Amino acid sequence: MTATPENMENAALEMDLSFESALENYLSSDFGDLEEGSIIKGEVVRVDEDSVLIDVNFKSEGQISASEFRDSTGKVNIAVGDKVDVFVVRKNEMEGTITLSFEKAKRMQLFDKLEEIQENNGVITGRIVRRIKGGYTVDLGGVEAFLPGSHVDLRPVPDMDALVNQEYEFRVLKINRRRSNVIVSRRVLLEEERDSKRQDLLRTLEENQIVTGKAKNITEYGVFVDLGGLDGLLHITDMSWKRIRHPKELVTLGQELQLKVLSFDRDNQKVSLGMKQLVADPWQDITAKYPEGAKLQGRVTNLVDYGAFVELEPGVEGLVHISEMSWTRKLRHPSQMVRVGDEVEVVILGVDQDKKRISLGMKQVKPNPWEVVAEKYPEGTILEGVIKNITEFGMFIGIEDGIDGLIHVSDISWTKKIRHPNEVFKTGDVVQAKVLTVDQENEKFTLGIKQLTEDPWTHVPSRYPVGALIEGTVTNITDFGLFVEVEEGIEGLVHVSEISQKKIKSPSEMFKEGVVIQAKVIHVSAEERRLGLSIKQLKDEEERRKPKEFRAGPADTGGQNLGDLLKQKLEEDASDS
């Protein structure tokens, strides 16, 4: 062909078209399978602190945040040259950019695996990471699933927090890939395992058989034991011959136990188990071993408000009631006498073999000190003691070890008005007193100080009979009258109505404390310790003894002269004679 300008131009155009076509074919062969939403294999070409570059054979590398490759410690677990599966989020062929995700690829692959497990009714291992409302969140290796609380175990779990951070196998119940929701169950697997074992156990289980099981739940009333597909109840009363407050004292969760089948209801699949039945009953022939009155050593195992339990031998305990601990001390709680673990000496007070009860006493080990006191200090005995305690109502005097005598505030003095014993005495003072009563039955010992001397009031009626004139000092003024001391310790009362003929609002209008007055005795009683006085009656008598003309003033003469008055006086004297 002749080379003409036209031919040359056509040849150049054909070469351009061939190059463009070849380039398009090259690009199409390299990138035709990079579809958005697909998972492809890529190679790590660079790892930085914040990002990782992945070559997926596109126009440019895809950049993924380094956080998608960090482990729980924060370390990036990827290196240059590693092959990884990535998810194509989007690509822009015009700009030659591509967005990738490592986590989404893992998530999609895990969802594929979960769907396969669900379809084949398989199991997957996961770790419970935290409690949420209604159940738990479970990590299945990159996907968080929901574990409903009702699907955790065959029975309600007493300690829900104890399952956190534990790994278990689960059955996949439901998957919603669009919402990324997965629901799993542990109970379904346990039920299948239990049903299989239960059938095997039901064929062989019999009463009185010795079986082995694992404690799976502990309550206040007993322990539920997994016998391998069938649960049995070990009641707290069948755990030990001795008294226990809670099953946790003998059994821990998950402990392997050897037990005896006490009863078995095959129809209802109920098993009653016993632990103490594997050893002999220590209560057999208990009355012969512990006769009434015997003295023994025991160990305090438990304290309650009403007493202390003392172990006499393994499985045999008796109760020391709080009232049987001390002859003399009034205990509010047994801890004032003993502590758990103390070795104590006790006396057998009574044994009830049927109810498995033993009554013990601690105070009976020693003689009753009240019997000694009653013989040593009969009523009327004068003794000396130290004041140990002072209260508002009296003083306690130490007599014998653990026995105090009470001096009531009213038995301190015959005459002084003592409001509080500390007005006269203080703790530690040594005093003499007379024994008033010794009540052994009620454990009361009363003393008196004033009884050491004669009651001065016994002589008051003879010294101050009714009608006698007394002179005394006003010691106290009240709204209802005057208290007048006629001699040391003896006071009389002038009632407000016996002060004057005139009506007065308060005796303090006419008198002051410390003044000396005269009064007439109008009432006296040694038994009531009362001395009634009257100023008004004394004045009335003085008025009656005056001559009439001196009793009446000038305004009362009524017009009479002196002669008339003298004549009237003579007539009165004649009539009086």
Side-chain angles (χ1 to χ4, degrees):
M1 180 181 296
T2 304
T4 64
E6 184 177 355
N7 292 337
M8 294 179 64
E9 185 178 351
N10 290 336
L13 180 61
E14 288 179 2
M15 289 181 64
D16 289 341
L17 290 173
S18 298
F19 176 77
E20 183 178 350
S21 176
L23 178 62
E24 185 176 350
N25 291 337
Y26 172 77
L27 292 176
S28 297
S29 62
D30 284 341
F31 304 111
D33 58 347
L34 291 180
E35 296 181 4
E36 291 184 358
S38 64
I39 296 175
I40 60 173
K41 186 75 73 175
E43 181 179 346
V44 178
V45 295
R46 192 175 74 191
V47 178
D48 295 330
E49 183 66 25
D50 298 324
S51 62
V52 175
L53 287 181
I54 308 291
D55 180 13
V56 292
N57 209 15
F58 191 62
K59 297 177 183 179
S60 63
E61 292 88 358
Q63 182 175 287
I64 300 177
S65 173
S67 61
E68 295 192 26
F69 298 93
R70 295 186 191 277
D71 58 17
S72 58
T73 63
K75 182 181 178 182
V76 176
N77 287 326
I78 199 75
V80 173
D82 287 352
K83 303 289 186 178
V84 293
D85 289 330
V86 292
F87 177 78
V88 180
V89 179
R90 60 181 170 272
K91 64 178 180 178
N92 189 326
E93 295 191 22
M94 297 295 295
E95 297 179 1
T97 61
I98 188 167
T99 303
L100 307 174
S101 173
F102 176 68
E103 286 187 347
K104 286 187 177 181
K106 278 182 60 178
R107 192 174 185 84
M108 286 188 65
Q109 289 173 335
L110 184 55
F111 268 100
D112 292 340
K113 179 182 175 182
L114 290 174
E115 288 175 349
E116 182 181 352
I117 289 173
Q118 183 186 25
E119 185 178 346
N120 297 325
N121 207 28
V123 297
I124 186 170
T125 301
R127 182 173 59 88
I128 297 177
V129 292
R130 60 182 173 273
R131 282 185 62 185
I132 59 174
K133 184 178 179 181
Y136 297 89
T137 297
V138 180
D139 181 12
L140 300 178
V143 171
E144 288 192 343
F146 175 61
L147 172 62
S150 59
H151 281 264
V152 175
D153 208 327
L154 296 172
R155 295 181 182 274
V157 179
D159 186 3
M160 299 285 284
D161 293 325
L163 300 181
V164 176
N165 292 324
Q166 300 293 322
E167 284 195 354
Y168 299 100
E169 288 187 335
F170 300 95
R171 176 68 53 77
V172 179
L173 298 184
K174 188 176 181 181
I175 298 174
N176 187 325
R177 187 189 286 262
R178 184 172 60 85
R179 295 185 178 181
S180 297
N181 289 342
V182 180
I183 299 176
V184 295
S185 172
R186 178 171 174 258
R187 190 189 70 189
V188 172
L189 295 178
L190 296 176
E191 286 175 345
E192 292 174 357
E193 181 183 7
R194 180 191 61 185
D195 291 342
S196 175
K197 291 182 178 179
R198 178 183 295 164
Q199 297 304 318
D200 296 336
L201 189 62
L202 289 174
R203 289 193 294 268
T204 59
L205 197 64
E206 295 178 355
E207 290 186 5
N208 297 319
Q209 183 180 354
I210 307 301
V211 294
T212 301
K214 181 182 291 186
K216 63 180 297 184
N217 192 16
I218 300 176
T219 68
E220 291 183 356
Y221 56 86
V223 181
F224 287 96
V225 181
D226 183 3
L227 300 176
L230 185 64
D231 289 350
L233 174 62
L234 171 61
H235 197 270
I236 187 171
T237 57
D238 291 312
M239 297 183 72
S240 175
W241 293 110
K242 69 178 183 180
R243 187 186 305 270
I244 59 173
R245 289 173 294 179
H246 198 282
K248 287 183 179 179
E249 295 177 27
L250 297 178
V251 175
T252 57
L253 202 64
Q255 181 180 348
E256 291 283 346
L257 302 171
Q258 191 174 43
L259 305 166
K260 185 175 184 178
V261 178
L262 304 181
S263 63
F264 175 40
D265 185 343
R266 195 177 300 274
D267 295 333
N268 294 312
Q269 299 182 2
K270 289 185 178 180
V271 184
S272 177
L273 304 170
M275 180 187 292
K276 70 182 184 181
Q277 288 78 5
L278 296 176
V279 296
D281 184 359
W283 285 87
Q284 288 180 349
D285 303 322
I286 199 74
T287 52
K289 292 169 66 176
Y290 300 108
E292 193 170 320
K295 288 185 180 181
L296 301 161
Q297 287 288 125
R299 183 177 63 86
V300 178
T301 57
N302 189 24
L303 297 181
V304 291
D305 290 341
Y306 53 85
F309 287 95
V310 177
E311 186 180 56
L312 303 177
E313 64 174 86
V316 177
E317 288 183 342
L319 172 67
V320 182
H321 194 269
I322 193 170
S323 62
E324 303 295 345
M325 289 187 164
S326 174
W327 290 113
T328 55
R329 294 179 63 182
K330 302 295 182 184
L331 304 175
R332 295 186 300 274
H333 194 273
S335 58
Q336 295 175 263
M337 283 286 292
V338 294
R339 295 176 298 178
V340 173
D342 285 354
E343 293 288 334
V344 294
E345 191 173 8
V346 293
V347 173
I348 303 294
L349 302 182
V351 177
D352 188 334
Q353 183 168 342
D354 295 334
K355 294 183 179 180
K356 296 187 176 180
R357 292 178 181 174
I358 299 179
S359 298
L360 304 173
M362 288 172 55
K363 68 183 184 182
Q364 289 80 2
V365 174
K366 298 178 180 179
N368 185 355
W370 281 97
E371 295 177 0
V372 178
V373 167
E375 295 176 4
K376 191 174 180 180
Y377 304 102
E379 292 182 11
T381 303
I382 296 175
L383 52 79
E384 193 174 80
V386 178
I387 299 175
K388 296 177 64 177
N389 188 26
I390 296 179
T391 67
E392 191 175 318
F393 58 85
M395 307 180 299
F396 289 94
I397 312 298
I399 307 301
E400 296 282 337
D401 184 27
I403 295 182
D404 295 337
L406 172 65
I407 301 176
H408 195 270
V409 65
S410 63
D411 289 316
I412 294 177
S413 174
W414 289 113
T415 55
K416 292 182 180 179
K417 293 185 181 297
I418 300 173
R419 295 180 181 87
H420 197 287
N422 60 17
E423 296 174 10
V424 186
F425 299 100
K426 64 180 182 295
T427 302
D429 286 351
V430 178
V431 296
Q432 277 192 336
K434 180 182 280 190
V435 178
L436 304 182
T437 58
V438 182
D439 187 344
Q440 182 178 332
E441 184 178 345
N442 295 310
E443 298 183 352
K444 290 183 179 180
F445 195 112
T446 59
L447 308 169
I449 293 177
K450 72 181 185 182
Q451 286 80 3
L452 295 173
T453 59
E454 188 179 12
D455 184 0
W457 276 90
T458 57
H459 301 290
V460 168
S462 59
R463 292 167 116 178
Y464 307 103
V466 174
L469 177 66
I470 63 95
E471 189 175 84
T473 304
V474 177
T475 58
N476 190 19
I477 300 175
T478 67
D479 290 340
F480 57 84
L482 307 173
F483 285 95
V484 181
E485 187 179 53
V486 296
E487 64 176 72
E488 185 179 0
I490 304 297
E491 285 185 341
L493 172 66
V494 182
H495 194 268
V496 66
S497 63
E498 295 294 335
I499 293 177
S500 173
Q501 291 285 4
K502 297 179 181 179
K503 187 175 182 180
I504 59 176
K505 294 181 180 178
S506 174
S508 60
E509 298 175 1
M510 302 176 63
F511 299 95
K512 292 183 178 179
E513 291 184 6
V515 300
V516 178
I517 65 169
Q518 287 185 331
K520 180 181 178 181
V521 178
I522 59 175
H523 175 77
V524 63
S525 172
E527 292 78 13
E528 297 176 357
R529 311 178 80 76
R530 289 176 59 189
L531 181 63
L533 306 175
S534 175
I535 298 174
K536 181 179 72 174
Q537 292 188 28
L538 180 62
K539 289 183 177 180
D540 288 346
E541 286 186 1
E542 291 176 351
E543 283 294 322
R544 284 197 297 271
R545 284 198 295 270
K546 288 181 181 179
K548 191 171 184 181
E549 62 271 20
F550 293 102
R551 282 184 273 150
D556 297 327
T557 60
Q560 292 179 326
N561 57 27
L562 183 59
D564 294 331
L565 293 173
L566 290 173
K567 181 180 179 182
Q568 183 178 349
K569 180 71 171 71
L570 291 172
E571 289 176 353
E572 288 177 357
D573 292 342
S575 63
D576 290 339
S577 59

